Amino acid sequence: MSAWEDNIRKVVPYVPGEQPKVDNIIKLNTNENPYGPSPRVEKIAMDMEKLKLYPDPAASALVDAIANYHEVSSDKVFVGVGSDDVLAMSFLTFFNSGKEILFPDITYSFYDVWAELYKIPYKAVPVDDDFRIIKEDYHGENGGVIFPNPNAPTSIAEPLSFVEDIVKNNQDVVVIVDEAYVDFGGETALPLVDKYENLLVVRTFSKSRSMAGLRIGYAIGNPKLIKYLSDVKYSFNSYTMNMPSIIYGVESIADDDYFKETVAKVVDTREWFKSEIEKLGFACPPSSANFLFMTHESIPAKEIFEKAREAKIIVRYFNKPRIDNYLRVTIGTRKEMESFLSFLKKLVKDN
């Protein structure tokens, strides 16, 4: 190793789901919404002349739209470039005590990457044999808590009382609830924001609002938390949210009917597909997300993953302890899921 490399910060990066470079595939590996953004987003005319100007660093129009939608004041809202940006900024801002932060051992695999990047000590707390978070394991001394609800990749959601128990028992640290998938069947923790000043709820437009390509995420919390987050953001990069994202994000959140319609379609397809694959010997935890976490009684997950790929169907396989015999399958359109079901029926029959 060269001498100049001695002082380089070295991390093992997060590996996102594959974005294939070929056509004519069924892509069920990255939890995108298959129905596209609101027609209002498609119809709005973007003034290209505005792109020569810097965007509003506060993204005020988008912040106000989100605040109005959730019926909170604008000083309780922070926006970022996808929820990953919001979460990374939150790690940097709130987890500085030197004590271990806590998150589940089976969860969103970016958490340990951020902890390593920012040199934050952490403990991955084991979920139980049914992949459920054990809330009592988060009652001890720590430097902060973060967990998704619903969890990923398991798709399991916990009720509001469960979330409140963790927040109530950790009022000396910041607790972050990552609600990337909550719109598909989870119970939001937003009603607790006014009750607990240490709670931050993080959301995204990438899943239920079908806007993964524009990278819009946001957090809602006590104004003091939002102020601290904003101070760190402005010390890092003033212009994180681009102008098209602000404009299209405002239009998306204004179309609540379309949002609810497409979410309902995903949930309906999810429940139909789950019932069909159970007939084939698959098992899944109850899902409150836009994906299923599935395993077969006799066919290894890796084999299904590889054979599906040969058939131009891409799902997510995690070669990790405890979950290496599970696949995470995004819910696509009914037609896409019918095609995948036909593939699975043939695979099971041939085995």
Side-chain angles (χ1 to χ4, degrees):
M1 182 178 292
S2 302
W4 57 266
E5 294 182 81
D6 292 343
N7 298 313
I8 299 295
R9 184 172 301 223
K10 303 173 186 70
V11 294
V12 178
Y14 170 75
V15 179
E18 180 185 1
Q19 296 291 346
K21 304 298 191 295
V22 296
D23 297 324
N24 301 316
I25 62 164
I26 297 176
K27 186 174 182 294
L28 306 175
N29 67 324
T30 50
N31 297 345
E32 295 131 332
N33 189 317
Y35 294 109
S38 160
R40 290 182 58 148
V41 174
E42 297 177 25
K43 290 176 182 177
I44 190 167
M46 175 71 198
D47 183 357
M48 294 297 118
E49 274 292 301
K50 290 185 177 179
L51 295 183
K52 69 186 180 185
L53 306 173
Y54 284 113
D56 172 14
S60 301
L62 182 57
V63 165
D64 291 345
I66 292 169
N68 290 336
Y69 183 81
H70 290 293
E71 299 181 337
V72 299
S73 58
S74 295
D75 61 354
K76 293 181 179 177
V77 178
F78 174 90
V79 298
V81 185
S83 59
D84 285 342
D85 181 50
V86 177
L87 290 166
M89 207 74 69
S90 298
F91 270 62
L92 186 61
T93 305
F94 301 124
F95 296 156
N96 296 292
S97 71
K99 299 176 184 176
E100 288 180 331
I101 64 168
L102 306 179
F103 49 79
D105 67 332
I106 298 175
T107 194
Y108 185 30
S109 52
F110 225 142
Y111 295 162
D112 59 344
V113 174
W114 287 317
E116 294 283 355
L117 176 64
Y118 297 133
K119 301 189 183 302
I120 300 167
Y122 67 91
K123 178 181 179 182
V125 182
V127 296
D128 68 16
D129 291 341
D130 295 319
F131 300 129
R132 303 198 83 106
I133 296 170
I134 304 168
K135 65 181 187 300
E136 289 79 11
D137 289 346
Y138 295 81
H139 288 182
E141 184 178 9
N142 61 73
V145 175
I146 180 168
F147 61 97
N149 194 39
N151 197 6
T154 66
S155 77
I156 298 172
E158 300 296 349
L160 186 61
S161 58
F162 180 102
V163 175
E164 182 167 14
D165 179 85
I166 292 178
V167 179
K168 184 171 62 176
N169 283 280
N170 286 283
Q171 294 185 58
D172 58 339
V173 298
V174 174
V175 177
I176 301 173
V177 181
D178 182 353
E179 293 189 344
Y181 302 101
V182 74
D183 294 321
F184 298 101
E187 188 175 8
T188 182
L190 288 176
L192 301 178
V193 165
D194 286 337
K195 189 173 181 181
Y196 299 98
E197 67 175 13
N198 63 315
L199 171 64
L200 191 74
V201 178
V202 178
R203 296 281 200 91
T204 180
F205 279 46
S206 296
K207 316 300 182 185
S208 55
R209 294 193 179 275
S210 308
M211 297 181 75
L214 278 177
R215 314 303 301 125
I216 302 172
Y218 63 98
I220 294 179
N222 181 281
K224 285 196 293 185
L225 289 182
I226 301 305
K227 173 66 164 56
Y228 288 132
L229 259 181
S230 297
D231 288 347
V232 170
K233 171 197 167 180
Y234 291 131
S235 301
F236 186 80
N237 182 350
S238 299
Y239 299 105
T240 54
M241 178 68 67
N242 67 58
M243 194 176 295
S245 292
I246 295 170
I247 293 171
Y248 294 137
V250 169
E251 290 302 311
S252 171
I253 208 163
D255 195 349
D256 203 40
D257 289 342
Y258 179 82
F259 160 70
K260 290 176 179 175
E261 176 189 341
T262 55
V263 166
K265 286 164 73 173
V266 170
V267 171
D268 181 67
T269 302
R270 180 190 73 202
E271 295 307 303
W272 163 79
F273 184 73
K274 183 174 186 289
S275 68
E276 291 297 314
I277 62 172
E278 286 173 345
K279 299 172 188 176
L280 301 176
F282 286 92
C284 315
S287 175
S288 296
N290 67 333
F291 58 88
L292 293 174
F293 194 53
M294 51 190 274
T295 186
H296 193 263
E297 59 190 6
S298 61
I299 308 174
K302 188 176 182 182
E303 179 182 337
I304 301 171
F305 166 75
E306 291 172 345
K307 289 184 175 179
R309 188 178 182 82
E310 291 172 6
K312 294 191 173 182
I313 302 170
I314 301 181
V315 297
R316 193 78 187 266
Y317 173 67
F318 298 93
N319 189 15
K320 293 182 175 182
R322 300 185 69 187
I323 61 172
D324 59 356
N325 200 33
Y326 283 79
L327 298 172
R328 194 194 69 189
V329 177
T330 303
I331 302 301
T333 64
R334 180 67 174 248
K335 183 178 179 181
E336 288 174 329
M337 302 315 290
E338 287 173 348
S339 296
F340 187 39
L341 181 63
S342 296
F343 162 81
L344 292 174
K345 285 179 177 178
K346 183 177 186 305
L347 180 67
V348 170
K349 182 181 178 181
D350 291 346
N351 274 265

